Each structure stands twice: as structure tokens, then as C-alpha cells.
């Protein structure tokens, strides 16, 4: 639904030249809605002029493109239009290339109020490229090009230097884009356009390049460091981690494939691990830690004991956890603060089940998001855990994909979860009833790759849907789609 104000604004923007001429006469309270409508409808001429003459110190995508009182559409949940993003960047460039007015004209010009352009929070869905929209990689490249061009071109008109604008962005970098982005960060130092990174994701980047990039980032801005597919090992991580630890406001650290290097003596590996732990103790504000696919068997106590504050999000997928790791976590200060927990890929079916249940009990009051993909949980383990799981009354998301559960087990889960009023999403496996000739217990690889009987599964889906309707929970999504990006980011919880 749209309000009358929204519909009127949309009508005003139909003629873009006239709308641009009218901007100086409009009350500044209309600018936020003008921006959203222009961004939504790709009114690029108006959008560029809005940025050029923005009357507030802050222009924030997160504030302007969310659901609002006038329009329920949340543009941040969609990939941004290439045309609209380019118009914003062109408006910023025009502002920087326009000389400052003299003192006598200053009250008549509103564009000089802008100090911060916050472009963070754009959807990063990782799907195939759509030529009409921008991925996070495209956004990074577009902003980087603007920084380099600004430094190389300077002001196009004589007069005093423009007032600097801080541009806050989430940056994505890989081997192909590293040199380009490094040049952009260097160019922004001392430039009217100051690039400020909030979240950094580096993929498949050599150790020396990762360090060089970290050295160029503003320590006061960085919120998250995410190093993916770098396969650093302990030796590489011991080189990088002190450069990460200088970011005292870092709230999220995502590392993967942290393990010993078989090519070096084990004593060196132990020294590197101790050094890594010492550096981890330097973080004051860390709230999320992801150590996916890292060999942490029997070492979780060493890792978590070094942290200064309790974590709220902990991802330990495929970390080969032992019962003592789970027992330590259940008894640690972290358990009572956890909002998000990912134990995917850890076998919880044997001696790990009881410690896992203890951890679930310890975190029941705060847990919002629980991911248990490929944990070898069959009906027996699930039914034994249900009394504790249903005490997680604030739980919003439950991931159980890749576990050998039957239709009977899923129905029991659905019935018992009626007590979880906040539950919105359950990602469940294809029931073992829908496979033909499964070995028992079935390995996760078989569940993920074997064919299912589509007719049987259609009946399963229909029955689950009827049970949801009968219990008044049609709003709860039960799905087997693990690629639908239903899992929430920690900062959105």
C-alpha cells in the first residue's frame, strides 16, 4: 500500500527536468521520500540532482531504502538497479567537482550539508549476474573507480576545495580486483572523497595482499573481516591476525580453514596457534566468530578462553568438535549470550549428543538462529532433544538439512514446535522415506546426492502444509531450499 504523499511524489517525478528545477523550492523534509521513489523508479536525472543538493549531513541507504510509512517496499532486500547506483555516484562526483559558494550565497545552497554517504547494507545474494542490477562486486568496482578518478582529475572548476565526503561501503575483493581496490583506497587518503570500509570480504587472496589491504583500512570504521577460500593455515593466519587485531571496534571475524600445516614441524604449528590465541585476546568488541572448516578438535577451550567478551554468534561448521569441546562451550560465559549457533557438519549422534543437549539448554533463553545441517541427527536423537529444543522459545530459524530424519520425525518436530511462537523458518531434509534403498545410517553425502521419489515427497509437503494450517501456523516456512538465503546475518538478528 502507498500513501497519498507517496503517490503525489511519484507523480511529481514523472517529468524529471521540471522536478529538478523544483528541488530548491521543496521543503527538505520531502527529500528522503523523493530519494526512495527516484531510486525505485530509476529516475536517474532526479536521483543525481538529489545527491548533488542533499540538504542533510547524512545520506544513508539503510535509512532511505527500507520499508517506510509511505511505502512498504524494502529496496535493501533487492539487488540495486545499476542505473540508480550509477546516478548516485554521478551525483556525488558532481558535488565534489562543483566549487564552494562564497559566503554571501552560502545560505541559499543546501548541497554542502552532505558529509557522509552511507552505501552499506546492499543485498549480497551471490546469484548469477543480472545486467540490470549491481552485485556487491560491481558496487565495489564502481565506488573504487570514482575514488581513483577523483584523485586523478581533481576539481574541474576554480575555487576553494570541496568539503570532503566520507563514503561508507561494504567491500568485496579477490585476486582479480585487488590491485584496483588497493589503488582506490590509496587515492582516497587526503582526497575529498574518503573511502571508509564497514565490512570487508576477501576471497582467494594471497597472504601478502590481504595484509596490504588491511593496512589501508580505517581502524575506526571496520565492523567485519571475512576471509574466504584463502586456506591460510596457522602459519598464514599468524601473519595476518595482528593486522586484524588493530581494529579495536571489530565486531565480526570470519575465518575459514584454520589448521596446521603438515609441511612444517608440529612445534612451529603449536607456536603459531599460541600466537594466534594471544592476538585474539586483543579484541574488545568481538561479538561474532566464524571458524568454519577449521580443525578445532579438543581446542575450543583454548580459543574461546582468550576472548575478552562473550560472543553472540558462533559458527563452528565442520570443525570436528569433540564432546569436551561442546561441554566447555555449554559451561562457558558464551553460551548464555548466543543468538546464533552453527554446528553444521559435526556429528552429534553419538557421544556428542548429551553435551550438545547441555549446550542447547544453556543457550535456550537467547538463541534465535540454530543451524544443524549434516549433523547425523536421526529420529532417535531428534526426539531425545525435542524437550530441550522447544525451550528455545525465541528461536526464529532452525536448519536441519542433510540429517537422516523420517516423515514421522518431522511431524513430531512440527507438532512440538507449536510452543515456539517466534519460529518463522525451518529448513528440513528430504525425509528418508522418500529415498529408495538407502544404506543405514546413511552418510550425509548420500542424502545430498541420491535421487528422491518426487511423488512421495509431494505427499510429504502436502501433509506438512496441512499440519501447519491445522495448528494456525501457515506463516511458518518449512522448506528444503538451502540456497534461498533464508539464514539471517548476525547483524540482522
Amino acid at each position: 500500500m502507498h500513501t497519498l504523499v507517496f503517490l503525489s511524489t511519484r507523480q511529481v517525478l514523472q517529468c524529471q527536468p521540471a522536478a529538478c528545477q523544483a528541488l530548491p523550492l521543496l521543503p527538505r523534509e520531502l527529500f528522503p521520500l523523493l530519494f526512495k521513489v527516484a531510486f525505485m523508479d530509476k529516475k536517474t536525472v532526479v536521483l543525481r540532482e538529489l545527491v548533488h543538493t542533499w540538504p542533510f549531513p547524512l545520506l544513508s541507504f539503510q535509512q532511505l531504502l527500507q520499508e517506510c510509512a509511505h511505502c512498504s517496499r524494502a529496496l535493501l532486500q533487492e539487488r540495486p538497479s545499476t542505473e540508480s547506483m550509477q546516478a548516485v555516484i554521478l551525483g556525488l562526483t558532481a558535488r565534489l567537482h562543483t566549487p564552494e559558494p562564497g559566503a554571501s550565497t552560502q545560505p541559499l545552497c543546501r548541497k554542502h550539508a552532505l558529509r557522509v554517504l552511507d552505501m552499506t547494507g546492499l543485498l549480497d545474494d551471490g546469484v548469477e549476474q543480472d545486467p540490470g542490477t549491481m552485485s556487491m562486486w560491481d558496487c565495489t568496482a564502481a565506488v573504487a573507480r570514482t575514488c581513483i578518478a577523483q584523485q586523478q582529475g581533481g576539481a574541474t572548476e576554480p575555487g576553494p576545495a570541496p568539503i570532503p565526503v566520507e563514503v561508507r561501503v561494504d567491500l568485496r575483493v579477490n585476486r582479480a580486483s585487488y590491485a584496483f581496490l588497493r589503488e582506490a583506497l590509496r587515492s582516497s587518503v587526503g582526497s575529498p572523497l574518503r573511502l571508509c570500509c564497514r565490512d570487508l570480504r576477501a576471497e582467494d587472496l594471497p597472504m601478502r595482499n590481504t595484509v596490504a589491504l588491511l593496512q589501508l583500512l580505517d581502524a575506526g570504521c571496520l565492523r567485519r573481516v571475512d576471509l574466504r577460500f584463502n586456506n591460510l593455515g596457522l602459519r598464514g593466519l599468524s601473519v595476518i591476525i595482528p593486522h586484524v587485531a588493530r581494529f579495536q571496534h571489530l565486531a565480526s571475524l570470519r575465518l575459514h580453514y584454520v589448521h596446521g600445516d603438515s609441511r612444517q614441524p608440529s612445534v612451529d604449528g603449536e607456536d603459531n596457534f599460541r600466537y594466534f590465541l594471544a592476538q585474539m585476546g586483543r579484541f574488545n568488541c568481538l561479538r561474532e566468530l566464524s571458524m568454519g572448516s577449521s580443525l578445532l578438535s579438543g581446542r575450543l577451550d583454548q580459543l574461546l578462553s582468550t576472548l575478552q567478551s562473550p560472543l553472540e554468534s558462533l559458527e563452528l561448521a565442520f570443525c570436528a568438535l569433540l564432546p569436551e569441546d561442546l561441554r566447555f562451550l555449554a559451561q562457558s560465559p558464551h553460551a548464555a549470550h548466543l543468538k546464533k549457533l552453527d554446528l553444521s557438519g559435526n556429528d552429534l549422534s553419538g557421544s556428542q549428543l548429551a553435551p550438545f543437549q547441555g549446550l542447547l539448554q544453556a543457550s535456550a533463553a537467547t538463541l534465535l538462529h540454530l543451524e544443524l545441517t549434516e549433523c547425523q541427527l536421526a529420529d532417535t536423537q531428534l526426539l531425545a532433544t525435542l524437550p530441550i529444543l522447544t525451550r528455545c522459545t525465541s528461536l526464529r530459524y532452525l536448519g536441519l538439512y542433510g540429517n537422516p530424519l523420517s516423515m514421522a520425525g518431522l511431524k513430531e518436530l512440527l507438532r512440538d514446535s507449536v510452543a515456539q511462537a517466534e519460529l518463522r523458518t525451518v529448513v528440513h531434509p528430504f525425509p528418508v522415506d522418500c529415498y529408495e534403498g538407502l544404506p543405514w545410517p546413511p552418510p550425509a553425502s548420500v542424502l545430498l546426492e541420491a535421487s528422491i521419489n518426487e511423488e512421495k515427497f509431494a505427499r510429504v509437503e502436502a501433509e506438512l502444509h496441512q499440519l501447519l494450517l491445522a495448528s494456525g501456523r501457515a506463516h511458518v516456512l518449512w522448506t528444503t531450499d538451502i540456497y534461498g538465503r533464508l539464514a539471517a546475518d548476525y547483524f540482522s538478528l
Side-chain angles (χ1 to χ4, degrees):
M1 294 293 292
H2 295 150
T3 65
L4 182 59
V5 175
F6 176 90
L7 296 174
S8 300
T9 301
R10 174 170 274 177
Q11 189 62 37
V12 166
L13 298 187
Q14 291 304 307
C15 179
Q16 294 194 73
C20 289
Q21 290 181 353
L23 284 181
L25 306 176
L26 296 177
R28 67 179 200 161
E29 288 76 17
L30 287 178
F31 272 60
L33 185 57
L34 286 165
F35 183 90
K36 182 174 184 178
V37 175
F39 197 97
M40 180 189 306
D41 293 346
K42 303 175 187 176
K43 301 297 183 181
T44 56
V45 177
V46 175
L47 195 56
R48 183 171 61 184
E49 190 62 21
L50 281 167
V51 177
H52 186 201
T53 61
W54 193 250
F56 305 103
L58 172 66
L59 194 163
S60 169
F61 278 23
Q62 293 191 71
Q63 293 179 9
L64 299 173
L65 301 183
Q66 283 286 21
E67 179 179 347
C68 67
H70 300 289
C71 173
S72 59
R73 185 172 171 184
L75 295 176
L76 280 182
Q77 297 176 13
E78 308 169 17
R79 283 179 65 160
S81 155
T82 299
E83 295 177 56
S84 295
M85 289 295 294
Q86 289 175 340
V88 170
I89 292 171
L90 287 172
L92 176 63
T93 302
R95 180 208 177 279
L96 293 173
H97 286 186
T98 304
E100 290 296 295
S104 60
T105 60
Q106 185 72 27
L108 302 177
C109 185
R110 299 187 294 189
K111 74 182 182 67
H112 305 283
L114 184 62
R115 296 292 181 273
V116 176
L117 172 59
D118 189 341
M119 302 172 70
T120 61
L122 296 172
L123 179 65
D124 183 20
D125 57 8
V127 299
E128 63 276 4
Q129 178 62 41
D130 175 356
T133 63
M134 269 194 174
S135 68
M136 282 304 303
W137 300 100
D138 298 326
C139 294
T140 295
V143 174
R145 280 194 296 269
T146 305
C147 288
I148 295 172
Q150 172 64 29
Q151 182 66 16
Q152 293 175 345
T156 59
E157 298 183 31
I163 296 176
V165 175
E166 179 181 290
V167 181
R168 298 175 185 170
V169 288
D170 297 328
L171 297 179
R172 305 293 181 262
V173 58
N174 57 17
R175 288 175 184 260
S177 62
Y178 161 73
F180 188 59
L181 182 56
R182 181 188 60 183
E183 180 60 27
L185 288 167
R186 285 176 173 173
S187 298
S188 73
V189 177
S191 168
L193 195 159
R194 297 175 181 171
L195 196 58
C196 182
C197 176
R198 183 189 68 161
D199 294 351
L200 173 70
R201 189 172 86 195
E203 296 189 5
D204 190 28
L205 204 60
M207 178 175 60
R208 64 182 183 279
N209 292 355
T210 303
V211 170
L213 206 60
L214 290 168
Q215 290 174 333
L216 291 170
L217 298 180
D218 187 336
C221 296
L222 200 63
R223 181 183 72 167
R224 167 179 281 164
V225 170
D226 186 350
L227 305 181
R228 302 189 182 193
F229 314 119
N230 297 288
N231 201 20
L232 296 168
L234 283 172
R235 181 176 178 275
L237 193 59
S238 66
V239 174
I240 288 176
I241 194 65
H243 298 280
V244 179
R246 77 180 182 89
F247 300 105
Q248 291 300 302
H249 299 292
L250 196 74
S252 171
L253 179 59
R254 304 179 63 83
L255 306 169
H256 305 274
Y257 305 105
V258 178
H259 49 74
D261 189 340
S262 59
R263 297 169 297 179
Q264 62 180 340
S266 59
V267 64
D268 290 344
E270 289 302 313
D271 288 344
N272 287 329
F273 188 65
R274 283 193 293 270
Y275 182 72
F276 168 66
L277 294 178
Q279 294 298 313
M280 290 295 293
R282 294 173 57 189
F283 294 108
N284 296 317
C285 303
L286 198 65
R287 294 295 178 269
E288 177 181 50
L289 179 62
S290 176
M291 299 289 291
S293 301
S294 300
L295 186 57
L296 296 175
S297 304
R299 289 189 156 187
L300 195 61
D301 59 336
Q302 294 174 267
L303 173 62
L304 297 184
S305 296
T306 64
L307 302 180
Q308 295 190 25
S309 303
L311 295 170
E312 294 181 350
S313 175
L314 181 59
E315 298 182 12
L316 299 170
F318 299 93
C319 287
L321 298 181
L322 300 177
E324 54 262 38
D325 295 314
L326 296 172
R327 277 193 289 269
F328 169 80
L329 182 55
Q331 297 166 8
S332 74
H334 303 282
H337 292 82
L338 286 176
K339 295 180 180 179
K340 182 176 182 179
L341 177 63
D342 186 351
L343 296 176
S344 297
N346 294 285
D347 187 348
L348 302 178
S349 63
S351 58
Q352 287 95 331
L353 182 62
F356 164 64
Q357 291 171 339
L359 172 58
L360 202 58
Q361 177 68 49
S363 58
T366 57
L367 204 58
L368 305 176
H369 185 109
L370 179 61
E371 187 68 73
L372 300 173
T373 296
E374 296 182 44
C375 287
Q376 292 296 309
L377 293 171
D379 288 0
T380 302
Q381 290 82 28
L382 178 65
L383 295 178
T385 306
L386 273 180
I388 303 172
L389 181 60
T390 53
R391 293 175 194 166
C392 303
T393 54
S394 299
L395 196 68
R396 302 173 190 168
Y397 174 97
L398 176 62
L400 289 169
Y401 193 83
N403 288 288
L405 298 173
S406 71
M407 180 56 183
L410 290 178
K411 288 165 66 174
E412 195 67 31
L413 171 63
L414 191 150
R415 293 191 189 98
D416 284 15
S417 65
V418 69
Q420 296 169 301
E422 301 299 319
L423 190 62
R424 292 295 178 269
T425 304
V426 177
V427 180
H428 64 85
F430 294 100
V432 292
D433 319 57
C434 297
Y435 294 88
E436 303 290 347
L438 274 181
W440 197 265
S445 58
V446 173
L447 292 176
L448 296 176
E449 297 172 8
S451 299
I452 63 164
N453 185 311
E454 297 288 350
E455 185 177 338
K456 286 184 179 180
F457 182 62
R459 291 197 295 268
V460 165
E461 283 192 307
E463 188 171 355
L464 289 175
H465 181 64
Q466 287 301 317
L467 288 171
L468 286 170
L469 289 176
S471 61
R473 291 180 291 161
H475 61 283
V476 182
L477 175 64
W478 277 60
T479 178
T480 57
D481 182 10
I482 59 172
Y483 301 108
R485 295 192 62 84
L486 300 169
D489 181 80
Y490 161 66
F491 291 111
S492 69
L493 292 175

